Amino acid sequence: KVFELCGEEPNDSNKPLNTFYNRKKKASASFNNRNIAPVEWTSLQHGGDMPMVRTVEIERISAVLEPLVKDPSCKPFFLVGPEGCGKSMILQNCFQEEKGVRVAVIHCSAQTSAQHVTQKLNQLCGVFSTNNGKVLRPKEGARFVIALKDINLPKPDKYGTVQLHSLLQQLLLYQGFYDSELEWVGIEKIQIVASMNPVVSAGRFPVASRLLAIVNLVNIPYPSKESLNQVYTAFFAGLLKHPQLANGPQYENGQQLAHCLTNVFEKVKKKFEGEEYAHCIFSPRDITAITCGVLNYSLEGTSLAAIVGYETSRVFADRLASPEDRNRAEKIFTEQLASVGYNGAGGSKDEKEKPIYVSWGSDWPLDPKTPKQLKLLPYADVEKEIKNSLVKYGREFREISMTPVVEVFSWIPRLDRILSSPGGHALLVGRCGVGRRAAATIAAFMLRMGVISVNMTKDYSVKSFRSDLRSVIQRVAVQNEKIMLLLEDHNFTRETFLEMVNSLVSSGEVAGLYTPEEQEQMLAPLREEASNEGFIGNLNNFFLQRIHLNLRVVTIMDPTNILFAPRCQANPGLLTSCAVVWMGTWTCLLYTSDAADEEDSVDLGGRRIIKKKKKKNKEI
């Protein structure tokens, strides 16, 4: 319609949005598919910043964002799109191409306030005196960009006002704010950008209309299936050049694998939607996780098809609540991946017959960014290793009461897969008593990680929790220790605790945890180590990298708790930045004693196990 009103015609009537005006040629042109080169497999290895494949849709969005990113007047803009559509990656790549621009990300949650923004500004900007009073300017570079992720998560107060939105409105309209001493502080060369989910649902709140009126809004939809196939074909084409994969099947240069996984994603997303699956946020980032995860496995005794199928099961099926849902998901995997040689988890529904991959037989690589290699191991060997580790842990620390059921022996290898990768955080969902804490503790012990949990007291406060977090971060960042921080429902006596955890798993830091002076004092010992490791970049980035490589946060929640769903909605990092493992309960009932055949239950390891009653023959 717009083209008709202007008396013009799009180059492609089926895709009018792909038409643009080329200023150099002074004529209309189209964003067209071009030859997309394979992605280097080394850029996928460490699971860090993902390379951006420039599809037609990416070219179109980049063209829209270019004048906003390059504008010297620091115009604010918000990206609006569904979860996992690539908003953060697009922002990151756009600003990476600009010289002298530093970006700081704040991951919002329900408790995020104006104080988090002012603390970030004071931490990363310098204070300068001018004729108009104090002014904050970037310490490094020509421009400082503060990016707020999920800006529609902060909860309004009783008057319906979101303090964070009011501060941003003040910063944009008046170029400054009042500090804690009620002194006006101006800002210069600071750009504000944000991202948000367009859906106003439980846990998300409308953004103030006055704020939206003064910013530029850019809509980013999910990539089309064609674009997804292009992206992951480029990923797999590069991945298949890895030394251990180069001599194996090439699957039509990766195209066959890409098509199978995009089909799996579409069918799983369609099959498991609705309020019952609110904790299952399926997005294209899941396909990325599977693609990158393949590099963490050893091909010894297995095949690429089996590894892709196993990784697909872990990424998609582990978060499903019921055995019936997991079986339905496995059926989808088997059907869609059959063309690449996947036979459906060994073709058996018995957990003992399914393939299991663990990292116990390999050492930590010399490169701390590289995860441990996962190798195929028979169930009997897995059970033996876990039992031996239970004995060792009991000798070194304390005895762990663990019921020997198949589910527990299956959960530990799955946790091992998560914890053995840098940035491997986990959300364990299950009823109390199924072995959540014991499984996580043994999995960390077998990886030679320290385990830290919060010691709750009657007077435990926000200050106490912040102190515990500072102690953990000190150990992982400065002392270079590998630590698993284990947190349970009862530790979150205040919602602020969970907000801090959400920030920690999402970005690797907690806003305002350190004053600028404390931050400088903590970074000082790292200067020499960063130099010795050949790190290039800001010292604060080296600090965050250490946290990413050494810290694992495992959060344990009970799905029957009335606060489970609201907490997950208010703190999306628990679902998007953590691997969700739904432990639920045991699918089998265990009974091992012949001496108590007439009893209805038996106590094993401190837990009450209900015994299956034998069916009695009816008398005729």
Side-chain angles (χ1 to χ4, degrees):
K1 189 69 177 176
V2 173
F3 281 100
E4 289 179 7
L5 292 173
C6 297
E8 299 287 341
E9 289 186 5
N11 292 1
D12 185 349
S13 58
N14 295 324
K15 299 178 180 179
L17 292 178
N18 288 349
T19 301
F20 70 99
Y21 180 75
N22 190 317
R23 292 173 183 259
K24 292 181 180 179
K25 296 181 179 180
K26 297 183 178 180
S28 63
S30 294
F31 297 112
N32 295 316
N33 282 321
R34 57 184 182 180
N35 293 328
I36 297 175
V39 171
E40 292 291 333
W41 65 266
T42 51
S43 63
L44 304 173
Q45 189 174 25
H46 300 142
D49 298 335
M50 288 292 103
M52 188 166 70
V53 179
R54 302 196 73 86
T55 62
V56 169
E57 294 171 3
I58 292 295
E59 292 284 1
R60 186 174 66 232
I61 293 169
S62 298
V64 173
L65 291 177
E66 184 178 4
L68 297 172
V69 171
K70 293 183 178 295
D71 187 63
S73 62
C74 300
K75 288 183 178 178
F77 62 91
F78 287 5
L79 302 186
V80 183
E83 188 68 47
C85 67
K87 301 185 291 292
S88 299
M89 183 188 68
I90 291 170
L91 268 181
Q92 180 181 345
N93 279 272
C94 286
F95 283 113
Q96 270 183 351
E97 297 174 0
E98 298 298 308
K99 294 182 179 179
V101 175
R102 184 177 180 185
V103 181
V105 180
I106 294 179
H107 293 258
C108 297
S109 68
Q111 286 76 39
T112 304
S113 66
Q115 186 179 9
H116 292 89
V117 175
T118 56
Q119 286 173 340
K120 182 67 73 175
L121 289 172
N122 288 320
Q123 179 183 345
L124 299 176
C125 295
V127 181
F128 297 86
S129 297
T130 66
N131 295 334
N132 296 323
K134 291 197 299 185
V135 172
L136 288 176
R137 293 174 185 159
K139 287 182 180 179
E140 302 173 0
R143 189 181 0 154
F144 174 66
V145 178
I146 185 163
L148 297 108
K149 191 172 181 179
D150 292 312
I151 197 172
N152 56 344
L153 278 177
K155 191 176 181 180
D157 59 21
K158 62 181 180 180
Y159 302 107
T161 302
V162 178
Q163 190 185 72
L164 174 64
H165 298 169
S166 298
L167 173 70
L168 294 179
Q169 186 179 337
Q170 185 182 58
L171 290 174
L172 295 175
L173 289 175
Y174 302 104
Q175 298 297 304
F177 64 97
Y178 287 99
D179 62 12
S180 57
E181 298 177 358
L182 298 182
E183 184 178 358
W184 180 258
V185 180
I187 59 171
E188 292 181 3
K189 300 178 182 178
I190 295 174
Q191 185 174 15
I192 296 173
V193 301
S195 64
M196 58 184 283
N197 192 314
V199 179
V200 178
S201 57
R204 296 185 183 272
F205 305 92
V207 178
S209 56
R210 290 184 178 181
L211 175 59
L212 294 178
I214 57 176
V215 300
N216 299 279
L217 298 176
V218 180
N219 179 58
I220 300 182
Y222 272 132
S224 64
K225 187 174 182 179
E226 180 185 358
S227 291
L228 287 177
N229 284 327
Q230 288 178 333
V231 170
Y232 294 108
T233 296
F235 276 30
F236 274 111
L239 185 144
L240 289 169
K241 294 180 181 179
H242 188 279
Q244 72 169 349
L245 300 173
N247 297 326
Q250 294 301 297
Y251 301 100
E252 298 179 9
N253 201 27
Q255 188 173 4
Q256 198 176 6
L257 287 168
H259 282 219
C260 287
L261 284 179
T262 52
N263 287 338
V264 167
F265 166 68
E266 284 197 337
K267 289 185 177 297
V268 168
K269 186 175 175 64
K270 185 178 179 180
K271 185 75 172 178
F272 304 106
E273 61 180 359
E275 192 172 338
E276 182 184 356
Y277 305 103
H279 65 282
C280 300
I281 302 177
F282 298 114
S283 69
R285 67 160 65 98
D286 294 322
I287 312 177
T288 304
I290 295 168
T291 309
C292 298
V294 168
L295 291 172
N296 300 342
Y297 292 79
S298 169
L299 276 176
E300 184 180 344
T302 186
S303 65
L304 178 58
I307 290 171
V308 170
Y310 181 82
E311 188 71 9
T312 302
S313 294
R314 300 288 70 78
V315 171
F316 286 119
D318 280 358
R319 69 184 78 175
L320 297 173
S322 69
E324 293 77 20
D325 284 339
R326 289 192 285 272
N327 289 335
R328 282 194 286 268
E330 288 289 351
K331 185 179 179 181
I332 293 173
F333 307 153
T334 304
E335 292 173 353
Q336 298 302 320
L337 297 176
S339 60
V340 296
Y342 178 63
N343 66 350
S348 173
K349 292 185 178 181
D350 187 354
E351 288 289 340
K352 294 184 179 181
E353 300 298 326
K354 292 181 180 180
I356 298 176
Y357 294 84
V358 294
S359 68
W360 305 328
S362 58
D363 296 324
W364 285 102
L366 296 176
D367 182 1
K369 296 180 183 178
T370 305
K372 294 182 70 177
Q373 283 278 294
L374 299 167
K375 296 181 180 179
L376 185 64
L377 204 65
Y379 177 84
D381 293 346
V382 169
E383 185 176 339
K384 182 180 178 181
E385 286 287 338
I386 292 173
K387 288 180 177 179
N388 289 339
S389 296
L390 280 168
V391 174
K392 291 179 182 177
Y393 187 87
R395 290 171 181 169
E396 295 184 27
F397 301 99
R398 61 180 178 80
E399 289 189 6
I400 287 186
S401 179
M402 180 182 288
T403 308
V405 293
V406 177
E407 280 77 13
V408 176
F409 291 136
S410 299
W411 291 333
I412 292 175
R414 293 174 189 178
L415 287 171
D416 171 76
R417 166 188 160 272
I418 299 166
L419 299 177
S420 60
S421 298
H425 308 301
L427 172 63
L428 309 185
V429 185
R431 296 289 299 272
C432 181
V434 298
R436 305 167 303 175
R437 184 183 181 91
T441 302
I442 290 300
F445 175 73
M446 297 177 79
L447 287 167
R448 299 190 293 278
M449 281 186 176
V451 179
I452 294 179
S453 56
V454 176
N455 184 22
M456 302 296 291
T457 61
K458 183 180 179 180
D459 301 324
Y460 199 83
S461 62
V462 174
K463 185 177 180 180
S464 306
F465 190 73
R466 293 171 72 91
S467 177
D468 285 340
L469 285 183
R470 286 156 62 103
S471 174
V472 170
I473 292 175
Q474 169 85 16
R475 291 177 61 177
V476 298
V478 180
Q479 299 174 25
N480 203 19
E481 296 181 34
K482 292 190 181 298
I483 288 176
M484 182 185 78
L485 177 61
L486 188 62
L487 300 167
E488 300 182 65
D489 284 280
H490 65 83
N491 295 138
F492 303 121
T493 54
R494 303 189 185 189
E495 295 305 311
T496 307
F497 297 172
L498 199 55
E499 188 270 334
M500 293 182 193
V501 173
N502 176 78
S503 180
L504 187 60
V505 299
S506 300
S507 62
E509 60 181 341
V510 178
L513 192 62
Y514 301 99
T515 63
E517 294 77 16
E518 291 171 336
Q519 185 83 359
E520 287 294 330
Q521 186 178 359
M522 181 169 285
L523 294 178
L526 296 177
R527 294 184 188 278
E528 186 176 349
E529 293 184 37
S531 177
N532 293 338
E533 293 183 20
F535 181 82
I536 300 174
N538 186 273
L539 195 58
N540 188 64
N541 292 339
F542 180 75
F543 175 76
L544 294 178
Q545 178 182 284
R546 276 280 183 88
I547 296 173
H548 174 74
L549 296 176
N550 292 333
L551 179 63
R552 311 287 189 270
V553 179
V554 175
T555 309
I556 297 174
M557 288 190 167
D558 187 340
T560 61
N561 189 326
I562 194 172
L563 295 175
F564 172 68
R567 282 175 167 174
C568 289
Q569 291 164 348
N571 300 279
L574 297 176
L575 301 177
T576 59
S577 300
C578 298
V580 181
V581 179
W582 194 286
M583 293 182 166
T585 185
W586 301 325
T587 55
C588 63
L589 300 174
L590 177 67
Y591 185 64
T592 58
S593 175
D594 293 329
D597 280 342
E598 299 304 317
E599 294 183 15
D600 293 331
S601 63
V602 62
D603 197 311
L604 292 177
R607 295 180 177 83
R608 202 75 175 169
I609 311 300
I610 306 300
K611 170 181 171 291
K612 277 186 176 179
K613 292 185 177 181
K614 296 179 180 178
K615 292 183 179 179
K616 296 181 179 180
N617 295 327
K618 293 182 179 180
E619 294 182 3
I620 300 176

